[in-house]
Structure formats: structure tokens, C-alpha cells
Amino acid sequence: MKWVILGALVLGLGLLGLYPLVATGYGVRFMLQLFMWVALAQSWNLISGLTGYVSFGHVAFFGTGAYAAGILIAVHGWHWAWASLGGGAASAVLAFLIGYPCLRLKGPYFAIAMLGLNEVMRVLVSYFEGLTGGGLGLSLPTLYASVEIYYAMGLTALAVTALAHLIITSRFGLRLMTIREDEVAAEAMGINTARHKLYAFLISAFAPGVVGGLFARDQGYIEPIAVFPLAITITMIVMALFGGKGTIWGPVLGAAVLFVLQELVWARFLYLHQALFGAIIILVVLFMPRGILGVLQQRYRLPRYV
């Protein structure tokens, strides 16, 4: 089964690499946004799916990366690719600064603290208007590079999924899952829970920062209300839960199914997709708390690399 998955993956990557050569402009942008959601859902999975620490403020890293990259491009003239990596580094630094105190909180207290972090970052960005443009937003130089950003966003989604594979199939991943199941027992077994949680937090923060930087370059204009909305966090959580948190391919499956469904519903019913996402949250929590792949893993004893 492992070779079947590997073959399908190589074929899929080849087709996605050739896709911009035959696709329309809308098709390229559709896939670009799908890659973005895969990367975001997968990054949330690395901390919340593996350790059980549910983050309701992961969009803070997305927004921080967007503004860091936007400033590097608009003010310092960096190339957008390097600026996006700089956005990821800025998000990782933010995660390091707030990770040590926040990861000592458990359950709803951690979730609330992360929610507060998002609001703090949004207010700070609005306050320092000399650097960020404040509520007026930050404009970037005009650039027509949708295909290049398509490949960059696709590589980011691929990289964070490959990283999830490495972590979940490693001893480090096993220790994170032990923390998720019983943190007290993990400490009794000699696992340094604080250090492992911080490492997972830093890794999970880097990808949203890179994605935020690519988003800023793709849009050409960002403002606090567009890069710090709670809806982005909710969407990445729903996608990861729907596909299967704590699995490798669950966030990819959840992002693909729900993004396509969202596009179909949004095109016909502007506000119905929000109600649909709410209904999916309720149904998943009630009937499939492990998501689609989580249920299949449990029922058919699928390996951890699925």
C-alpha cells in the first residue's frame, strides 16, 4: 500500500506541475488558494492535532507573516520569495516569544490565550501605522506572477505535508501524541513535555508565516481586517478535523473536499457556506471526532503514514 500511495503522489505532483500550462487564470488561482488551505490546515495539525493543544489564534502567524513580508517587499525592496521566508521566520520568532508562557496553559485557557494573541497582533498592526499603514492597509508594488506564486504555494503545501510525514512517523511525533493522550503520564515516562510542545509550536508557526507572505504578494494589498480574521482559523480547524487531525493526509483531504464544496456553495449562495461550515463542525464533533482518516485508521488499522 505504501508504494501505491507513493506512485499516486508522484503522478499527482507531475500533473499539478503541468497544470498551469493548460489551465485558465481562474483555474490557477483556484488551485493556488487550495494549496494555501492545505498548508494552513496542515500547520494547525502539527500543534493541535498532535499535542491536543487547540489553537484558536493560528491566524496570528498568518497575519504576522503577511505584514513582515509586505514590509520587506514594499519598504526594503526584497524579492517576494525571500520576503515570504522572512515572514515565516517572523512568525516563528513570535511563536518562540509567546510559546513558553502560553503552552503552560491547558485546555480552554490555551485556546483563549491564542485568541487573545490574534487580537493583540491586529491592534498592534493597526497602531503602528507609520510602518504598516494602520487601518488604511499596506500596498505592495504591482506584480503579475500568479503562476510563480502558484508553484511557491504548492511547494509550501508539499513541504509542510512532507514535514508532517516525517514528524508523525518519528519518535518525536510519538512523544507528541503521548502528550496528547496523557501529558502527566508522558512526563512520568521522562518526556520533556515543555520542550517538545515548544518545538511543535515553532514548526507549526513557520508555515502560516510563509503562506501569509505569499498571500500578501499575491493580493498586492493587505489590511488588518483581511489577514487577522477569526474565520481563517476556524476554516483551517474545520478542514483538519473533517479530514482527520493527527494524521498525515487528513488535513489535505479535508482542505480539498471542503474548499471545493465551499466554492460550489459560495457561487450560488453567498452566505450559506458559513452556515454549512458551522453544521460540519457540529456533525464532525458529534459523530467523527477523529475525522474521516482517523475513523478509517481506527477501524481498519491503517498505518501511521496514511
Side-chain angles (χ1 to χ4, degrees):
M1 186 173 182
K2 184 177 181 179
W3 291 107
V4 173
I5 295 175
L6 186 61
L9 180 62
V10 172
L11 178 62
L13 291 176
L15 293 175
L16 288 174
L18 297 174
Y19 180 71
L21 301 178
V22 297
T24 62
Y26 170 79
V28 171
R29 297 201 58 78
F30 177 87
M31 292 302 299
L32 188 157
Q33 293 180 50
L34 175 57
F35 292 151
M36 183 186 83
W37 287 115
V38 169
L40 291 177
Q42 195 68 275
S43 68
W44 183 88
N45 184 47
L46 290 178
I47 181 64
S48 299
L50 295 184
T51 69
Y53 277 67
V54 178
S55 170
F56 277 107
H58 232 55
V59 69
F61 302 126
F62 174 83
T64 299
Y67 266 96
I71 292 169
L72 289 174
I73 294 170
V75 179
H76 299 286
W78 283 33
H79 187 275
W80 58 267
W82 294 111
S84 298
L85 292 175
S91 296
V93 170
L94 175 64
F96 178 78
L97 294 176
I98 58 102
Y100 189 75
C102 287
L103 288 171
R104 291 179 177 274
L105 303 173
K106 300 182 186 302
Y109 300 104
F110 174 76
I112 293 171
M114 290 301 297
L115 197 60
L117 171 67
N118 183 45
E119 287 303 300
V120 168
M121 293 306 299
R122 187 179 62 80
V123 171
L124 285 177
V125 166
S126 301
Y127 180 77
F128 291 102
E129 60 182 22
L131 182 63
T132 64
L136 296 177
L138 181 66
S139 296
L140 280 67
T142 303
L143 177 70
Y144 300 100
S146 294
V147 174
E148 288 85 349
I149 297 175
Y150 163 90
Y151 285 118
M153 196 72 86
L155 285 174
T156 304
L158 177 63
V160 70
T161 301
L163 187 60
H165 178 274
L166 288 175
I167 291 175
I168 290 174
T169 56
S170 69
R171 182 175 295 180
F172 175 61
L174 282 175
R175 289 174 176 172
L176 294 179
M177 286 183 269
T178 303
I179 294 172
R180 179 186 65 194
E181 298 302 324
D182 193 331
E183 188 167 348
V184 175
E187 291 178 348
M189 293 168 63
I191 298 174
N192 189 331
T193 58
R195 183 191 303 169
H196 283 74
K197 288 186 295 184
L198 183 60
Y199 288 164
F201 197 52
L202 293 178
I203 295 171
S204 74
F206 183 79
V210 175
V211 171
L214 294 174
F215 174 83
R217 177 60 280 178
D218 181 58
Q219 296 294 310
Y221 170 79
I222 53 175
E223 56 183 341
I225 196 172
V227 296
F228 290 105
L230 182 60
I232 291 181
T233 294
I234 297 298
T235 303
M236 69 174 84
I237 291 175
V238 173
M239 288 174 170
L241 289 179
F242 182 76
K245 67 175 183 177
T247 66
I248 298 170
W249 294 103
V252 180
L253 175 65
V257 172
L258 293 182
F259 182 69
V260 171
L261 189 60
Q262 183 182 16
E263 283 294 298
L264 292 174
V265 175
W266 178 84
R268 293 167 176 79
F269 309 100
L270 184 58
Y271 299 106
L272 187 59
H273 72 281
Q274 296 177 351
L276 178 65
F277 264 47
I280 290 173
I281 292 176
I282 295 172
L283 292 175
V284 168
V285 171
L286 286 177
F287 301 107
M288 286 194 311
R290 290 178 176 272
I292 296 174
L293 285 186
V295 171
L296 293 177
Q297 278 186 334
Q298 191 174 28
R299 181 169 300 179
Y300 300 107
R301 299 183 181 278
L302 296 178
R304 283 190 294 129
Y305 56 76
V306 174

